[in-house]
Amino acid sequence: MIDKSKLRSAHVTQGIEKAPMRSLFYSMGYVKEELDRPLIGVVCAHSEIVPGHIHLDKVAEAVKAGVRMAGGTPIEIPAIGVCDGIAMGHTGMRYSLASRELIADSVETMANAHCFDGLVLVPNCDKIVPGMMMGALRINIPSIVCSGGPMMSGLVNGEETSLSKMFEAVGARKANMIDDAELDNYEKNTCPGCGSCSGMYTANSMNCLSEALGFALPGNGTIPAVHSGRMQLAKKAGMAIMNLVNNDIKARDLVNEASIKNALACDMALGCSSNSVLHLLAVAREAGVALNLDMFNEMSEKVPNLCHLAPAGGSHMHDLNIAGGIPAVQNELAKQGLLDLSVLTATGKTLAENIKGLENSDPNTIRPIETPYSQTGGIAVLFGNVAKDGCVVKRSAVAPEMLVHTGPARVFDCEEDAIAGIYNSQIVAGDVVVIRYEGPVGGPGMREMLNPTSALAGMKLDKSVALITDGRFSGASRGASIGHVCPEAAVGGNIALLKDGDIIEINIPEYTIHVQLSDEQLVERRKDLVLRKPNVTTGWLKRYAQLVDSAAKGAIMK
């Protein structure tokens, strides 16, 4: 039996002095029996503008049912969320990554202001998942993630497809490789319903990694949004939070150094979005765990890549779910001692207990660890005179012939100019497209470059042209797409010194990226450097540009 006086909610529900607070609860229809139970905040990002969130009201209702069954009082509160696909390619994308900080701040604000005893986080898409986790870790109360689940893949011309193919179809249409009717076919049939887009893009990467962290129940990352199992999982999450509250198991008891290393291992095995680097750095910081870019490469050297989901391959999230989901991947990694199986998870059990007996049922979707896609992990961080503090590439989505590439730079100072150059056939095989002044400060907001990478892929240039940027990439990007170049151009990084025709050398297996310029030449160019100001100088993005830290630190707020 819980000692009500020891609950956080006692500050608003218990004692003579709290009568005014109770009167306000009663005004909303609560009854005494509800106020005598633990108060559980259900943070729901439901909206009518995000496909991954359109159904979260139903998920939240299932969570609340689970909380009530286990003896708690659920209280739903809202959270914002940006749809990256709708925000792509215009100024709206500047708000996407930056919104992560607003979400974390709002979770902290609502949970502390109203003295919740625990939190169930109900996100689904890109920045919302890490933002909610960051807020919960910051205040360190019992918390669990229950996402909305992935979208099913679409069907175009008899083949399964996903949003990355839709964006690539635009490039194909611009190059007259397909006609308007074919583009319309993609447009109408790529996204068949609710859920986070069906490939291993950022949303699904973070939903899988929340599970790998032990911050969510098994199945959270892979059970499709439209399956009854998703609602069952939500009810179980509601019951599980009560177990965490009753046993005083807090967020940082689940997310710690050992579980973050487990998540890094799963990141490499799954071939997650390059954005997972930004978000794991930020999550680790809120958990009080030291994590840096070198640790990603160290893990990549140990952990093989087992999955090639879209955009790296032809399988999708529902295939991963059928194969056994994240527990099946974890079982493969456990065969070679690549996970700490003793960590505590949101089930209240250890990872070893969670994955016992859950085997890989589809070796085509999850390669056995003895026969991986590659002996190295899905993410690589490159260093060199172009990116002294590092830059990130989703190695598992790079064609073998592009792992090592040398070519002339084609330099653009914003995404729009680069897209125009690609569509106007200014880019030829062998080039290295450089897009700068799109970093956390320079953007501001570090826009995703899915439009230019998709244009290159749609024009069949993804196996002969590389792209580097101080911005970032959607998880739907494929090819030699190298982002997060640090230091960024807006703070004087060497990417600001590059000129058309400079020869850039990329060697992903060796983790290096260089421009063929001497230190003396770079110093000489710096004398004439005039930095561009951030592209937005009003509103809260102005404050964001002033306060945001380097992408090498997760683009966290200073």
Short mmCIF file of all heavy atoms in Angstrom, two decimals, residues 504-549:
data_model
loop_
_atom_site.label_atom_id
_atom_site.label_comp_id
_atom_site.label_asym_id
_atom_site.label_seq_id
_atom_site.Cartn_x
_atom_site.Cartn_y
_atom_site.Cartn_z
N ILE A 504 37.34 17.38 -52.21
CA ILE A 504 36.99 16.83 -50.90
C ILE A 504 37.15 15.32 -50.92
O ILE A 504 36.68 14.64 -51.84
CB ILE A 504 35.55 17.24 -50.51
CG1 ILE A 504 35.47 18.76 -50.35
CG2 ILE A 504 35.12 16.54 -49.22
CD1 ILE A 504 34.09 19.28 -50.04
N GLU A 505 37.81 14.81 -49.90
CA GLU A 505 38.07 13.38 -49.77
C GLU A 505 37.24 12.82 -48.61
O GLU A 505 37.36 13.26 -47.48
CB GLU A 505 39.56 13.13 -49.49
CG GLU A 505 40.49 13.68 -50.55
CD GLU A 505 41.95 13.59 -50.13
OE1 GLU A 505 42.21 13.47 -48.91
OE2 GLU A 505 42.82 13.64 -51.01
N ILE A 506 36.41 11.83 -48.93
CA ILE A 506 35.56 11.18 -47.93
C ILE A 506 35.97 9.73 -47.83
O ILE A 506 36.04 9.01 -48.84
CB ILE A 506 34.07 11.28 -48.35
CG1 ILE A 506 33.64 12.74 -48.45
CG2 ILE A 506 33.19 10.50 -47.38
CD1 ILE A 506 32.33 12.94 -49.19
N ASN A 507 36.23 9.28 -46.60
CA ASN A 507 36.59 7.87 -46.37
C ASN A 507 35.82 7.39 -45.15
O ASN A 507 36.26 7.55 -44.01
CB ASN A 507 38.10 7.72 -46.17
CG ASN A 507 38.53 6.26 -46.21
OD1 ASN A 507 37.84 5.38 -45.70
ND2 ASN A 507 39.68 5.99 -46.84
N ILE A 508 34.65 6.83 -45.40
CA ILE A 508 33.78 6.42 -44.30
C ILE A 508 34.38 5.27 -43.50
O ILE A 508 34.34 5.30 -42.26
CB ILE A 508 32.36 6.09 -44.83
CG1 ILE A 508 31.73 7.38 -45.40
CG2 ILE A 508 31.49 5.51 -43.73
CD1 ILE A 508 30.40 7.16 -46.10
N PRO A 509 34.98 4.24 -44.12
CA PRO A 509 35.58 3.17 -43.31
C PRO A 509 36.70 3.66 -42.39
O PRO A 509 36.91 3.10 -41.32
CB PRO A 509 36.12 2.20 -44.37
CG PRO A 509 35.27 2.43 -45.57
CD PRO A 509 34.98 3.90 -45.56
N GLU A 510 37.38 4.74 -42.79
CA GLU A 510 38.46 5.29 -41.97
C GLU A 510 37.98 6.46 -41.10
O GLU A 510 38.79 7.06 -40.38
CB GLU A 510 39.61 5.76 -42.87
CG GLU A 510 40.29 4.64 -43.65
CD GLU A 510 40.99 3.64 -42.74
OE1 GLU A 510 41.51 4.07 -41.68
OE2 GLU A 510 40.99 2.44 -43.08
N TYR A 511 36.69 6.79 -41.19
CA TYR A 511 36.09 7.87 -40.37
C TYR A 511 36.74 9.23 -40.63
O TYR A 511 36.96 10.01 -39.71
CB TYR A 511 36.16 7.53 -38.88
CG TYR A 511 35.55 6.20 -38.50
CD1 TYR A 511 36.34 5.10 -38.18
CD2 TYR A 511 34.16 6.05 -38.46
CE1 TYR A 511 35.76 3.88 -37.83
CE2 TYR A 511 33.58 4.83 -38.11
CZ TYR A 511 34.38 3.76 -37.80
OH TYR A 511 33.81 2.54 -37.46
N THR A 512 37.04 9.54 -41.90
CA THR A 512 37.73 10.80 -42.20
C THR A 512 37.01 11.59 -43.29
O THR A 512 36.34 11.02 -44.16
CB THR A 512 39.18 10.55 -42.66
OG1 THR A 512 39.18 9.75 -43.85
CG2 THR A 512 39.98 9.87 -41.57
N ILE A 513 37.18 12.92 -43.25
CA ILE A 513 36.67 13.81 -44.29
C ILE A 513 37.62 15.01 -44.36
O ILE A 513 37.81 15.72 -43.38
CB ILE A 513 35.21 14.23 -44.04
CG1 ILE A 513 34.71 15.14 -45.16
CG2 ILE A 513 35.04 14.88 -42.68
CD1 ILE A 513 33.20 15.32 -45.16
N HIS A 514 38.20 15.22 -45.53
CA HIS A 514 39.22 16.27 -45.69
C HIS A 514 38.98 17.05 -46.98
O HIS A 514 38.46 16.51 -47.96
CB HIS A 514 40.63 15.67 -45.76
CG HIS A 514 41.11 15.06 -44.49
ND1 HIS A 514 41.51 15.80 -43.40
CD2 HIS A 514 41.26 13.75 -44.14
CE1 HIS A 514 41.88 14.98 -42.43
NE2 HIS A 514 41.74 13.74 -42.85
N VAL A 515 39.38 18.32 -46.97
CA VAL A 515 39.49 19.09 -48.19
C VAL A 515 40.98 19.23 -48.49
O VAL A 515 41.80 19.40 -47.57
CB VAL A 515 38.83 20.48 -48.05
CG1 VAL A 515 39.42 21.30 -46.93
CG2 VAL A 515 38.90 21.24 -49.39
N GLN A 516 41.33 19.14 -49.76
CA GLN A 516 42.74 19.18 -50.16
C GLN A 516 43.25 20.62 -50.12
O GLN A 516 43.57 21.24 -51.14
CB GLN A 516 42.92 18.57 -51.55
CG GLN A 516 42.71 17.07 -51.59
CD GLN A 516 42.94 16.48 -52.98
OE1 GLN A 516 43.27 17.19 -53.93
NE2 GLN A 516 42.76 15.18 -53.11
N LEU A 517 43.31 21.14 -48.90
CA LEU A 517 43.87 22.47 -48.64
C LEU A 517 44.79 22.36 -47.43
O LEU A 517 44.47 21.65 -46.46
CB LEU A 517 42.77 23.49 -48.36
CG LEU A 517 41.80 23.83 -49.49
CD1 LEU A 517 40.65 24.70 -48.96
CD2 LEU A 517 42.52 24.54 -50.64
N SER A 518 45.90 23.07 -47.48
CA SER A 518 46.82 23.05 -46.34
C SER A 518 46.28 23.93 -45.22
O SER A 518 45.39 24.77 -45.42
CB SER A 518 48.19 23.57 -46.77
OG SER A 518 48.11 24.95 -47.13
N ASP A 519 46.85 23.77 -44.05
CA ASP A 519 46.46 24.63 -42.92
C ASP A 519 46.73 26.09 -43.26
O ASP A 519 45.94 26.98 -42.91
CB ASP A 519 47.25 24.24 -41.67
CG ASP A 519 46.83 22.89 -41.12
OD1 ASP A 519 45.75 22.40 -41.50
OD2 ASP A 519 47.58 22.33 -40.29
N GLU A 520 47.82 26.34 -43.97
CA GLU A 520 48.16 27.71 -44.34
C GLU A 520 47.13 28.30 -45.30
O GLU A 520 46.75 29.47 -45.19
CB GLU A 520 49.55 27.75 -45.00
CG GLU A 520 50.71 27.45 -44.05
CD GLU A 520 50.84 25.95 -43.73
OE1 GLU A 520 50.23 25.13 -44.48
OE2 GLU A 520 51.52 25.61 -42.74
N GLN A 521 46.65 27.49 -46.25
CA GLN A 521 45.63 27.97 -47.19
C GLN A 521 44.32 28.29 -46.46
O GLN A 521 43.65 29.27 -46.78
CB GLN A 521 45.39 26.92 -48.28
CG GLN A 521 46.53 26.81 -49.29
CD GLN A 521 46.32 25.65 -50.25
OE1 GLN A 521 46.22 24.50 -49.83
NE2 GLN A 521 46.26 25.96 -51.54
N LEU A 522 43.97 27.45 -45.50
CA LEU A 522 42.75 27.69 -44.74
C LEU A 522 42.86 28.98 -43.92
O LEU A 522 41.92 29.77 -43.83
CB LEU A 522 42.44 26.50 -43.84
CG LEU A 522 41.99 25.22 -44.56
CD1 LEU A 522 41.96 24.05 -43.60
CD2 LEU A 522 40.63 25.40 -45.22
N VAL A 523 44.03 29.19 -43.33
CA VAL A 523 44.26 30.42 -42.56
C VAL A 523 44.15 31.64 -43.48
O VAL A 523 43.56 32.66 -43.11
CB VAL A 523 45.64 30.37 -41.86
CG1 VAL A 523 45.99 31.76 -41.30
CG2 VAL A 523 45.64 29.33 -40.75
N GLU A 524 44.70 31.54 -44.66
CA GLU A 524 44.65 32.66 -45.60
C GLU A 524 43.21 32.97 -46.01
O GLU A 524 42.80 34.14 -46.09
CB GLU A 524 45.51 32.34 -46.83
CG GLU A 524 45.81 33.52 -47.72
CD GLU A 524 46.64 34.60 -47.02
OE1 GLU A 524 47.42 34.28 -46.10
OE2 GLU A 524 46.47 35.79 -47.40
N ARG A 525 42.43 31.93 -46.27
CA ARG A 525 41.02 32.15 -46.65
C ARG A 525 40.23 32.79 -45.51
O ARG A 525 39.32 33.58 -45.74
CB ARG A 525 40.37 30.82 -47.06
CG ARG A 525 40.80 30.32 -48.42
CD ARG A 525 39.90 29.19 -48.88
NE ARG A 525 40.35 28.65 -50.16
CZ ARG A 525 39.71 27.69 -50.83
NH1 ARG A 525 38.59 27.17 -50.32
NH2 ARG A 525 40.16 27.24 -51.97
N ARG A 526 40.58 32.42 -44.30
CA ARG A 526 39.83 32.93 -43.15
C ARG A 526 39.95 34.45 -43.03
O ARG A 526 39.05 35.12 -42.51
CB ARG A 526 40.31 32.24 -41.87
CG ARG A 526 39.46 32.53 -40.64
CD ARG A 526 39.78 31.60 -39.48
NE ARG A 526 39.45 30.23 -39.79
CZ ARG A 526 38.22 29.72 -39.72
NH1 ARG A 526 37.21 30.49 -39.34
NH2 ARG A 526 37.99 28.47 -40.01
N LYS A 527 41.02 35.01 -43.53
CA LYS A 527 41.21 36.46 -43.46
C LYS A 527 40.10 37.21 -44.21
O LYS A 527 39.77 38.35 -43.86
CB LYS A 527 42.58 36.85 -44.03
CG LYS A 527 43.76 36.34 -43.22
CD LYS A 527 45.09 36.71 -43.90
CE LYS A 527 46.27 36.18 -43.12
NZ LYS A 527 47.56 36.48 -43.81
N ASP A 528 39.55 36.58 -45.24
CA ASP A 528 38.53 37.24 -46.06
C ASP A 528 37.11 36.77 -45.72
O ASP A 528 36.15 37.17 -46.38
CB ASP A 528 38.79 36.96 -47.54
CG ASP A 528 40.14 37.50 -48.00
OD1 ASP A 528 40.50 38.59 -47.54
OD2 ASP A 528 40.80 36.82 -48.80
N LEU A 529 36.98 35.93 -44.68
CA LEU A 529 35.68 35.34 -44.36
C LEU A 529 34.74 36.37 -43.72
O LEU A 529 35.08 37.03 -42.74
CB LEU A 529 35.86 34.16 -43.40
CG LEU A 529 34.58 33.46 -42.93
CD1 LEU A 529 33.82 32.86 -44.12
CD2 LEU A 529 34.90 32.38 -41.89
N VAL A 530 33.55 36.49 -44.29
CA VAL A 530 32.48 37.30 -43.70
C VAL A 530 31.31 36.35 -43.44
O VAL A 530 30.70 35.83 -44.37
CB VAL A 530 32.05 38.44 -44.64
CG1 VAL A 530 30.90 39.22 -44.00
CG2 VAL A 530 33.22 39.35 -44.94
N LEU A 531 31.01 36.11 -42.17
CA LEU A 531 29.98 35.15 -41.81
C LEU A 531 28.59 35.70 -42.10
O LEU A 531 28.32 36.88 -41.86
CB LEU A 531 30.09 34.78 -40.33
CG LEU A 531 31.38 34.08 -39.90
CD1 LEU A 531 31.35 33.84 -38.39
CD2 LEU A 531 31.55 32.76 -40.64
N ARG A 532 27.73 34.84 -42.58
CA ARG A 532 26.33 35.21 -42.77
C ARG A 532 25.60 35.17 -41.44
O ARG A 532 25.88 34.33 -40.59
CB ARG A 532 25.65 34.24 -43.74
CG ARG A 532 26.07 34.42 -45.18
CD ARG A 532 25.32 33.48 -46.09
NE ARG A 532 23.88 33.46 -45.81
CZ ARG A 532 22.98 32.97 -46.66
NH1 ARG A 532 23.36 32.46 -47.82
NH2 ARG A 532 21.70 32.96 -46.35
N LYS A 533 24.63 36.04 -41.28
CA LYS A 533 23.82 36.03 -40.08
C LYS A 533 22.77 34.93 -40.18
O LYS A 533 22.43 34.48 -41.28
CB LYS A 533 23.14 37.40 -39.90
CG LYS A 533 24.10 38.55 -39.62
CD LYS A 533 23.34 39.85 -39.44
CE LYS A 533 24.31 40.99 -39.14
NZ LYS A 533 23.59 42.29 -38.97
N PRO A 534 22.25 34.47 -39.04
CA PRO A 534 21.17 33.46 -39.09
C PRO A 534 20.02 33.93 -39.97
O PRO A 534 19.74 35.13 -40.08
CB PRO A 534 20.74 33.34 -37.62
CG PRO A 534 21.97 33.71 -36.85
CD PRO A 534 22.65 34.78 -37.66
N ASN A 535 19.36 32.98 -40.59
CA ASN A 535 18.30 33.29 -41.54
C ASN A 535 17.02 33.81 -40.91
O ASN A 535 16.17 34.35 -41.60
CB ASN A 535 17.98 32.04 -42.38
CG ASN A 535 19.12 31.69 -43.32
OD1 ASN A 535 19.46 32.46 -44.20
ND2 ASN A 535 19.72 30.52 -43.12
N VAL A 536 16.86 33.60 -39.59
CA VAL A 536 15.69 34.10 -38.86
C VAL A 536 16.19 34.95 -37.70
O VAL A 536 17.01 34.50 -36.91
CB VAL A 536 14.81 32.95 -38.34
CG1 VAL A 536 13.64 33.51 -37.53
CG2 VAL A 536 14.28 32.11 -39.50
N THR A 537 15.71 36.16 -37.60
CA THR A 537 16.20 37.07 -36.55
C THR A 537 15.07 37.61 -35.69
O THR A 537 15.23 38.62 -35.00
CB THR A 537 16.96 38.25 -37.19
OG1 THR A 537 16.10 38.91 -38.12
CG2 THR A 537 18.22 37.75 -37.90
N THR A 538 13.91 36.95 -35.73
CA THR A 538 12.78 37.36 -34.89
C THR A 538 12.18 36.12 -34.23
O THR A 538 12.54 34.99 -34.57
CB THR A 538 11.68 38.06 -35.71
OG1 THR A 538 11.21 37.15 -36.72
CG2 THR A 538 12.20 39.33 -36.36
N GLY A 539 11.26 36.35 -33.28
CA GLY A 539 10.57 35.24 -32.64
C GLY A 539 11.49 34.42 -31.77
O GLY A 539 12.63 34.78 -31.49
N TRP A 540 10.99 33.25 -31.32
CA TRP A 540 11.79 32.46 -30.39
C TRP A 540 12.96 31.75 -31.06
O TRP A 540 13.91 31.34 -30.38
CB TRP A 540 10.91 31.49 -29.59
CG TRP A 540 10.36 30.31 -30.33
CD1 TRP A 540 9.18 30.23 -30.99
CD2 TRP A 540 10.96 29.01 -30.44
NE1 TRP A 540 9.01 28.98 -31.52
CE2 TRP A 540 10.08 28.20 -31.20
CE3 TRP A 540 12.14 28.44 -29.97
CZ2 TRP A 540 10.34 26.87 -31.49
CZ3 TRP A 540 12.41 27.12 -30.26
CH2 TRP A 540 11.52 26.34 -31.02
N LEU A 541 12.92 31.63 -32.40
CA LEU A 541 14.09 31.07 -33.08
C LEU A 541 15.31 31.97 -32.94
O LEU A 541 16.45 31.50 -32.97
CB LEU A 541 13.79 30.81 -34.56
CG LEU A 541 12.96 29.56 -34.87
CD1 LEU A 541 12.78 29.43 -36.37
CD2 LEU A 541 13.59 28.30 -34.29
N LYS A 542 15.07 33.27 -32.78
CA LYS A 542 16.20 34.17 -32.52
C LYS A 542 16.86 33.80 -31.20
O LYS A 542 18.09 33.72 -31.10
CB LYS A 542 15.71 35.62 -32.48
CG LYS A 542 16.81 36.64 -32.14
CD LYS A 542 16.26 38.05 -32.08
CE LYS A 542 17.36 39.04 -31.70
NZ LYS A 542 16.84 40.43 -31.63
N ARG A 543 16.05 33.56 -30.16
CA ARG A 543 16.60 33.14 -28.87
C ARG A 543 17.29 31.78 -28.99
O ARG A 543 18.35 31.56 -28.40
CB ARG A 543 15.49 33.06 -27.82
CG ARG A 543 14.80 34.37 -27.54
CD ARG A 543 14.03 34.34 -26.22
NE ARG A 543 13.06 33.26 -26.16
CZ ARG A 543 11.82 33.34 -26.63
NH1 ARG A 543 11.41 34.46 -27.22
NH2 ARG A 543 10.99 32.33 -26.52
N TYR A 544 16.67 30.89 -29.76
CA TYR A 544 17.25 29.57 -29.97
C TYR A 544 18.65 29.68 -30.57
O TYR A 544 19.60 29.04 -30.10
CB TYR A 544 16.35 28.74 -30.88
CG TYR A 544 16.85 27.34 -31.17
CD1 TYR A 544 16.64 26.30 -30.28
CD2 TYR A 544 17.54 27.07 -32.35
CE1 TYR A 544 17.10 25.02 -30.56
CE2 TYR A 544 18.00 25.79 -32.64
CZ TYR A 544 17.78 24.77 -31.74
OH TYR A 544 18.24 23.51 -32.01
N ALA A 545 18.80 30.50 -31.60
CA ALA A 545 20.10 30.67 -32.25
C ALA A 545 21.15 31.21 -31.28
O ALA A 545 22.33 30.88 -31.38
CB ALA A 545 19.97 31.60 -33.46
N GLN A 546 20.73 32.02 -30.33
CA GLN A 546 21.65 32.60 -29.36
C GLN A 546 22.07 31.60 -28.29
O GLN A 546 23.15 31.72 -27.71
CB GLN A 546 21.01 33.83 -28.71
CG GLN A 546 20.81 35.00 -29.66
CD GLN A 546 19.93 36.09 -29.07
OE1 GLN A 546 19.18 35.86 -28.12
NE2 GLN A 546 20.01 37.29 -29.64
N LEU A 547 21.22 30.60 -28.03
CA LEU A 547 21.44 29.70 -26.89
C LEU A 547 21.82 28.28 -27.26
O LEU A 547 22.32 27.53 -26.42
CB LEU A 547 20.17 29.66 -26.02
CG LEU A 547 19.78 30.97 -25.33
CD1 LEU A 547 18.41 30.83 -24.68
CD2 LEU A 547 20.81 31.38 -24.30
N VAL A 548 21.60 27.87 -28.51
CA VAL A 548 21.82 26.48 -28.87
C VAL A 548 23.31 26.16 -28.95
O VAL A 548 24.13 26.99 -29.37
CB VAL A 548 21.12 26.14 -30.20
CG1 VAL A 548 21.79 26.84 -31.39
CG2 VAL A 548 21.07 24.63 -30.42
N ASP A 549 23.66 24.96 -28.53
CA ASP A 549 25.04 24.50 -28.57
C ASP A 549 25.30 23.72 -29.86
O ASP A 549 24.39 23.48 -30.66
CB ASP A 549 25.34 23.64 -27.34
CG ASP A 549 26.79 23.77 -26.87
OD1 ASP A 549 27.66 24.08 -27.71
OD2 ASP A 549 27.06 23.56 -25.67
#
